[in-house]
Each structure stands twice: as structure tokens, then as C-alpha cells.
Amino acid sequence: MNTKITTYSLEHHKSLFNDANNVKEYFYIQAKDHPYISEPYRAESYAIEFLRKGSIVMQTKLKKVVIHAPAILTLGPSVIRSFTKDSDEILIDIIFFKPQFFLHNQANVFFLSQYDFFENSEKHVFNLQKKNKIKFEQIFNLLRQSIEHNSDNQPSILRAYLYILIYELDVIKQTNTNDTKQNPLFEKFKETLSRDFISQRSVQYYADTLNVSRKYLSEVIKNNSGKTASDWIDEIVVLEAKILLQNKELTINQISDTLNFPNQSGFGRFFKKCEGISPLEYRRKNV
């Protein structure tokens, strides 16, 4: 049974922006609109996005945030993400790149994975102060010029700018680290939930795993997020269900089994309680 999450190729991303250039291992675009994709997906490429103007809504796994310009977004291939419209006018620069492109001649194959802002949903967004806004405008302007003036050295030049972007973002992250730390129990809960939600959906399980009482865990999560532990569990299960429902080769019963429900009816009741419609109705309307 194939339960693979939908993954957008670099070719698909190019088509969303109506770009017909030959597909390479990287793709740069400056756009005045965004191909808002409301259904969760993954990508085969990394992306660094510079929102110059306007605002958009991004959800990564369980975190939904309204991003206002000027800001940088960083997304790794494994990140489950979706986008919805917030502003009528935006201006955004995006550089997509496959890991194999960036790692060309790089001895450390784990170079990108050491920067958690590509994968950690709490660190994808960098809100820019004035001096940093000017700096990233300059970098992205140079990046765009390199794309527009094609040369044999273009791949090497783009890699150099990507290194600069990553290092500059890391400087901002290190500067802000002390200001953005959240409750360690809340962080551990999210980490454990992401790992175990398929097989474990009781708040008591997570309390026992984290060696605290259910009441204390619930209080910490509510105080840090405004949502209950049960809300977090339900949301991640529904998100995974939506991803699986995109695959029309999977029956509702197969999805129910994959998500470890006792039967299809139980899955249907759960989904309808959370979304207001049945899994089949959701598939008909959205896939």
C-alpha cells in the first residue's frame, strides 16, 4: 500500500509560476502573486523566500502564522506546508534549489541539515529589521541579476549567494535564540507527538512518556499555545489524513488503517467531528 505524502517536484513549482524555462537543479522567481496551495504538501527542493511586500498565511505541520513583509521564509524538503492568501498585493522573491545542487563540491553532506531553521516549524520565519531588510534586498538583487545574465559560472555564483544567505540567517537566529525559547516541556511534547501520533492519541500517553501528570502537561500546553493537548493531537491526525486523502489510489479504509483507527466508521466520525464533513466529501471537494 502506497501512503507516500504528496511531494511537489521542482518542475511543478516552476509550472505554478508559469515559468517555461528549462528545468535545472534550481529555480529563482520574483512574483507579484503567490500560488496559494491550501492543501498540505512537501517538496523535493529547499526554498528561501524573501517577502518584500504584503503578507501571506503559512502553515507548517501544526503551526499557522501570518507573515508580514519584510520577512524571510526558509523551508526544507521534508516540511509539510500550505499557504493561503492574506494580502491582495505582495512581492516575493523565491530561490528553490535541490540539495544535490547546493552540495556540489561540499565535503560535508550534512551541511544543510545542521541549520534547523529549514526544518523546525518554530524557526521558519525571520522578521527583518531595517538594517537586515536592506542587506537581504542587496543579496536577492544580486541573485536575480545572476539569473538574468546567464553564464557558465551561474551555478557557482548562485551557490555562493546561497551560502551567504544561510550564514546571514544563522547570525539572526543566534542573536534571537535567547528571546524565542519556549517551555522545554511544550517543545518535548511537540517532538514526541510528531513521532508517535499514528499509534498514540491519548493525552495520558504523552504525560506518562514525559514523566508528568496529565493535568500539568495540559496546563503547560494551554498556557504556551492557547490550545489543549487534545487539540494538538486531533490537528496533527487530521493534517495527516488530509495528506493521505490527496492520494486517490488509497481507499478511505486504507487511510483509516494507516492512521491506526479501529475501523473506517471510527475514522469517518473522527474526521467529521473535526472538519464538519466526511473524508469522502473532503476528497470530492479538494482533490
Side-chain angles (χ1 to χ4, degrees), residues 277 280-287:
I277 57 175
L280 186 57
E281 289 173 311
Y282 176 86
R283 172 176 274 176
R284 286 171 178 165
K285 290 183 177 181
N286 295 280
V287 180

Side-chain angles (χ1 to χ4, degrees), residues 200-216:
Q200 302 292 340
R201 290 199 278 273
S202 73
V203 177
Q204 189 63 56
Y205 166 81
Y206 293 98
D208 292 343
T209 301
L210 297 171
N211 296 312
V212 295
S213 70
R214 173 173 176 157
K215 181 180 179 181
Y216 180 68

Side-chain angles (χ1 to χ4, degrees), residues 142-158:
L142 290 168
L143 224 164
R144 187 173 71 255
Q145 291 172 22
S146 298
I147 294 290
E148 292 172 349
H149 301 93
N150 197 9
S151 73
D152 292 340
N153 293 323
Q154 185 184 88
S156 297
I157 293 171
L158 292 181

Side-chain angles (χ1 to χ4, degrees), residues 70-262:
I72 299 287
L73 292 67
T74 54
L75 295 166
S78 69
V79 175
I80 300 173
R81 81 292 298 262
S82 61
F83 296 92
T84 49
K85 187 175 182 178
D86 187 68
S87 176
D88 288 336
E89 289 188 73
I90 68 167
L91 181 63
I92 190 167
D93 295 35
I94 310 175
I95 176 72
F96 298 96
F97 58 96
K98 295 181 181 180
Q100 60 267 31
F101 165 74
F102 181 85
L103 295 171
H104 181 72
N105 291 332
Q106 165 61 252
N108 179 11
V109 296
F110 298 108
F111 181 89
L112 289 167
S113 62
Q114 68 187 314
Y115 295 99
D116 61 351
F117 49 73
F118 281 117
E119 303 294 341
N120 187 326
S121 62
E122 302 295 331
K123 301 179 181 180
H124 290 313
V125 180
F126 294 78
N127 296 303
L128 301 179
Q129 301 299 320
K130 183 176 180 180
K131 66 177 182 178
N132 283 325
K133 173 180 179 287
I134 294 171
K135 181 187 298 181
F136 283 101
E137 282 177 341
Q138 293 171 336
I139 298 171
F140 274 88
N141 288 343
L142 290 168
L143 224 164
R144 187 173 71 255
Q145 291 172 22
S146 298
I147 294 290
E148 292 172 349
H149 301 93
N150 197 9
S151 73
D152 292 340
N153 293 323
Q154 185 184 88
S156 297
I157 293 171
L158 292 181
R159 284 189 201 96
Y161 288 137
L162 285 171
Y163 274 104
I164 293 170
L165 283 172
I166 291 168
Y167 287 137
E168 290 287 0
L169 290 169
D170 193 48
V171 169
I172 296 175
K173 188 202 78 171
Q174 292 180 28
T175 303
N176 295 337
T177 294
N178 292 333
D179 298 328
T180 59
K181 283 185 178 178
Q182 291 185 302
N183 184 289
L185 179 61
F186 179 45
E187 293 297 311
K188 194 65 178 176
F189 166 75
K190 289 189 289 184
E191 178 185 326
T192 308
L193 177 62
S194 295
R195 184 191 68 211
D196 294 348
F197 74 92
I198 293 292
S199 59
Q200 302 292 340
R201 290 199 278 273
S202 73
V203 177
Q204 189 63 56
Y205 166 81
Y206 293 98
D208 292 343
T209 301
L210 297 171
N211 296 312
V212 295
S213 70
R214 173 173 176 157
K215 181 180 179 181
Y216 180 68
L217 177 64
S218 298
E219 288 175 352
V220 168
I221 294 170
K222 182 71 173 179
N223 289 338
N224 278 268
S225 69
K227 296 186 292 187
T228 67
S230 294
D231 289 338
W232 279 87
I233 295 169
D234 287 350
E235 285 184 17
I236 194 171
V237 175
V238 167
L239 176 60
E240 191 74 8
K242 287 181 176 180
I243 293 167
L244 294 173
L245 284 165
Q246 292 181 39
N247 185 347
K248 289 187 176 181
E249 294 182 1
L250 294 175
T251 67
I252 304 299
N253 190 53
Q254 287 173 322
I255 294 172
S256 172
D257 289 343
T258 299
L259 294 174
N260 203 34
F261 281 88

